[in-house]
Amino acid sequence: MIRFDRVTKRYPGGHEALKEVSLEIAAGEMVFLTGHSGAGKSTLLKLIAAIERPTSGSVLVNQQNVGRMRRAAVPYLRRNIGLIFQDHKLLFDRNVMQNVLLPLQIAGFSRHDAAARARAALDKVGLLDREKTNPIALSGGEQQRVCIARAVVSRPALLLADEPTGNLDSEYASDIMIMFQAFNQAGTTVVISTHDHAAVLSGNCRIIRLDHGSIQS
Amino acid sequence: MMTWLMHHRRAILTTLAQMALSPVASLFTLFAIGVALSLPAGMYVLLDNATQIAGTLPAQNEMTVFMRDDASPDDVTKLKQQIKAMPDLADSRFVPRQTALQQLSAQMGMSELAAELPKNPLPDAWIVTPAATDANTVARLIKQLEQLPAVALVQADHKWAQRLDALLALGRELINILAIILGIALIAITGNTIRLQIITRHAEIEVSRLIGATDRFIRRPFLYFGAIQGLVGGAIAWGIVTLGIVLLSPQIDTLNKLYATQIQLHALGLTDSLILFAFASLLGWLGAYISVGRTLSRIENTH
């Protein structure tokens, strides 16, 4: 599903976030990206979602070269990727429900279908009773769950989570990791970056360790 | 198709919600646009009224040939033949003195005056139209007509009619210039409000981009905002002009009574109103389009 071929990303100013990284992630896999902060985890995820473009090398997602993708095609790529951010990026000018509805409105779902799907997504993260609340009134863990509901509401084939548990207590964090595992078991490919080794699920998940922009094996 | 309709519906609702969110600021902007548009619209209405009043006046290249007061019906017949024989005249029409008096009393509302006159003071007259309108021909014709027997006076209305026409044309040109300047002002006002809107909705735009919104989706509410703002501004301008006419009407009525005239001011007609609304929306949309393009690309480059 995802294939990096000797990808280098150099930011303006000369900092090299990724150096000749090659990797492959199959559909249906659940992968942890670990490494110290600044190791290039965020950059790797951003390259998959075409938020950043590689300086050299190629990034393929579903056989599409997203590094060379036309600007106009990028939105359609992103509709098939659920993005989860450490800072949640929720909108505080609307309630939880409206935040979760946003991807569906963008994709052009009818109001009826959209409402049903959004409720289902909120139910999955256990926040159905908070749909009318403004996200600013929620705890950090709850905000992260709203962010997850928004990411999965359009049932993407791929979930990318950048430090999803970075600001959370270990108890909340493990709840969220279990949630990701459930999505993975339903067939979604999941890539999670974390600097917290304790958060990595025990089990047979693959771990990709980044160090100063290179993969450690 | 459904999706498309839904997107547009949503964009309009978002726009109205945004306006309602800061009602005072929205009202100020709308009034600024309304006042800016009311100037050319108001001037246009005034000029339109003036043109209509001028339209009741004689056509510009006609000349009036007044006969001597003592001219006999024989003289009239003779003069008719002589006028017919002149090659430079395109048309001629006889106005007997009785008809002239009737027209005058009807036109100017001077029936009382006409009734009190012991004797019709108006002479028989001919209204002739020269074949050519250039000053030389007209001058030569006047000379020729004046030399005919039984002719007292030849009056060429064309001079002041031309002057009036030139004045109206000047007025029209002024309105055009004013409309262009204030149209640019409207674009600028809209552009600025849209820029502020985009800055306040920066987070929403960023998130929308990350979850797959196309540029069009992001742009659409702002374009609607510009167009709706322009449209409402146009409606306010229409209101200002109509109110102005309503306020002026009593004064015109007083003048009508004093001068015994029948002048009536009319407001913007249906077509003109629709044109005003269409232009206002179009300019608002244009201002938004320019501003959205510039501001969005700047936001993108900074983040």
Side-chain angles (χ1 to χ4, degrees):
Chain A
M1 176 161 227
I2 300 167
R3 193 188 147 104
F4 275 54
D5 201 13
R6 300 177 57 143
V7 173
T8 297
K9 174 64 186 178
R10 197 178 299 114
Y11 282 107
H15 173 64
E16 224 168 46
L18 290 178
K19 293 168 198 152
E20 304 258 318
V21 168
S22 298
L23 60 85
E24 201 155 343
I25 296 171
E29 247 191 301
M30 179 149 169
V31 175
F32 283 93
L33 271 179
T34 65
H36 59 96
S37 64
K41 305 186 295 288
S42 295
T43 302
L44 200 148
L45 293 179
K46 282 178 178 169
L47 287 170
I48 298 171
I51 299 168
E52 298 286 355
R53 306 261 177 167
T55 311
S56 67
S58 68
V59 179
L60 294 175
V61 177
N62 277 334
Q63 281 91 50
Q64 275 182 301
N65 188 340
V66 299
R68 295 237 188 85
M69 196 173 244
R70 281 183 310 118
R71 211 185 112 76
V74 170
Y76 301 98
L77 166 79
R78 292 198 189 145
R79 286 181 196 181
N80 210 16
I81 300 177
L83 290 173
I84 293 149
F85 314 93
Q86 183 175 7
D87 59 354
H88 325 315
K89 292 197 194 297
L90 297 176
L91 299 173
F92 297 134
D93 62 346
R94 56 197 76 194
N95 64 31
V96 165
M97 183 67 171
Q98 285 163 332
N99 267 283
V100 178
L101 277 173
L102 192 61
L104 301 175
Q105 285 164 342
I106 287 171
F109 278 82
S110 79
R111 275 202 301 169
H112 183 80
D113 290 356
R117 279 195 175 210
R119 280 216 184 79
L122 279 173
D123 195 26
K124 265 184 222 161
V125 300
L127 282 176
L128 194 50
D129 54 334
R130 309 301 293 272
E131 57 174 293
K132 293 273 195 298
T133 316
N134 187 302
I136 208 157
L138 299 177
S139 72
E142 286 171 324
Q143 289 190 358
Q144 189 57 279
R145 274 144 69 192
V146 176
C147 181
I148 293 170
R150 185 181 63 189
V152 299
V153 72
S154 47
R155 295 174 196 161
L158 174 62
L159 267 183
L160 302 178
D162 190 9
E163 301 275 0
T165 58
N167 296 328
L168 302 180
D169 298 346
S170 56
E171 197 180 326
Y172 276 134
S174 66
D175 273 359
I176 280 173
M177 286 305 174
I178 289 164
M179 231 174 255
F180 283 131
Q181 203 168 30
F183 291 127
N184 177 244
Q185 273 155 11
T188 311
T189 311
V190 182
V191 183
I192 302 166
S193 85
T194 180
H195 65 271
D196 178 11
H197 288 275
V200 175
L201 285 169
S202 51
N204 50 2
C205 290
R206 184 145 69 101
I207 296 173
I208 297 173
R209 195 163 289 124
L210 278 171
D211 185 34
H212 293 99
S214 307
I215 290 178
Q216 305 283 298
S217 43
Chain B
M1 184 66 190
M2 275 306 291
T3 309
W4 184 85
L5 273 178
M6 219 160 50
H7 275 151
H8 283 262
R9 208 183 75 100
R10 228 184 77 75
I12 292 171
L13 290 179
T14 313
T15 300
L16 296 178
Q18 284 292 324
M19 279 184 182
L21 221 60
S22 52
V24 179
S26 302
L27 274 184
F28 273 128
T29 315
L30 290 174
F31 268 96
I33 293 172
V35 170
L37 284 172
S38 72
L39 281 171
M43 273 181 71
Y44 174 81
V45 167
L46 286 183
L47 195 79
D48 198 39
N49 277 296
T51 311
Q52 204 162 60
I53 292 164
T56 62
L57 299 168
Q60 57 167 299
N61 34 359
E62 282 178 359
M63 291 191 287
T64 315
V65 180
F66 292 107
M67 297 188 67
R68 277 211 304 275
D69 205 27
D70 55 359
S72 65
D74 267 3
D75 289 333
V76 175
T77 330
K78 223 183 275 168
L79 190 60
K80 184 183 176 178
Q81 285 162 356
Q82 283 164 331
I83 285 177
K84 281 265 155 72
M86 290 178 74
D88 290 337
L89 289 182
D91 188 34
S92 66
R93 168 159 63 91
F94 179 60
V95 183
R97 56 204 306 175
Q98 294 85 356
T99 319
L101 186 63
Q102 277 163 17
Q103 278 179 356
L104 185 67
S105 40
Q107 261 179 20
M108 304 302 207
M110 291 199 283
S111 45
E112 303 96 333
L113 182 69
E116 280 171 22
L117 284 173
K119 144 179 187 300
N120 184 353
L122 299 174
D124 285 327
W126 291 83
I127 293 171
V128 298
T129 314
T133 50
D134 63 290
N136 286 338
T137 317
V138 173
R140 189 163 47 79
L141 268 173
I142 291 172
K143 216 170 247 173
Q144 280 179 359
L145 287 165
E146 272 175 341
Q147 279 163 2
L148 294 173
V151 169
L153 178 71
V154 178
Q155 199 178 37
D157 303 324
H158 72 286
K159 273 219 168 106
W160 70 266
Q162 276 174 351
R163 282 180 200 143
L164 181 66
D165 249 29
L167 270 178
L168 290 176
L170 178 71
R172 253 174 243 125
E173 209 51 48
L174 270 176
I175 290 176
N176 285 343
I177 292 168
L178 200 67
I180 291 171
I181 292 171
L182 291 167
I184 292 170
L186 196 157
I187 293 178
I189 293 171
T190 317
N192 197 44
T193 45
I194 295 297
R195 196 177 57 83
L196 293 174
Q197 280 251 329
I198 292 174
I199 290 166
T200 53
R201 294 173 66 185
H202 189 166
E204 183 185 348
I205 292 170
E206 192 196 340
V207 170
S208 301
R209 277 235 172 91
L210 287 174
I211 57 186
T214 55
D215 285 346
R216 272 195 199 187
F217 181 89
I218 288 167
R219 231 185 255 139
R220 197 176 289 127
F222 297 109
L223 297 183
Y224 268 110
F225 192 97
I228 291 176
Q229 190 175 254
L231 180 67
V232 178
I236 290 175
W238 187 90
I240 291 174
V241 171
T242 310
L243 186 71
I245 299 279
V246 169
L247 290 178
L248 283 179
S249 283
Q251 315 305 322
I252 296 288
D253 282 347
T254 317
L255 280 177
N256 274 339
K257 277 197 198 103
L258 290 174
Y259 282 87
T261 47
Q262 292 294 327
I263 295 169
Q264 256 185 346
L265 288 184
H266 58 264
L268 276 173
L270 180 67
T271 319
D272 290 336
S273 305
L274 290 179
I275 290 174
L276 171 66
F277 297 153
F279 257 95
S281 329
L282 187 74
L283 289 177
W285 182 87
L286 191 66
Y289 188 84
I290 295 169
S291 179
V292 166
R294 285 177 52 84
T295 316
L296 284 184
S297 68
R298 218 178 43 219
I299 283 179
E300 199 166 3
N301 292 339
T302 54
H303 104 85

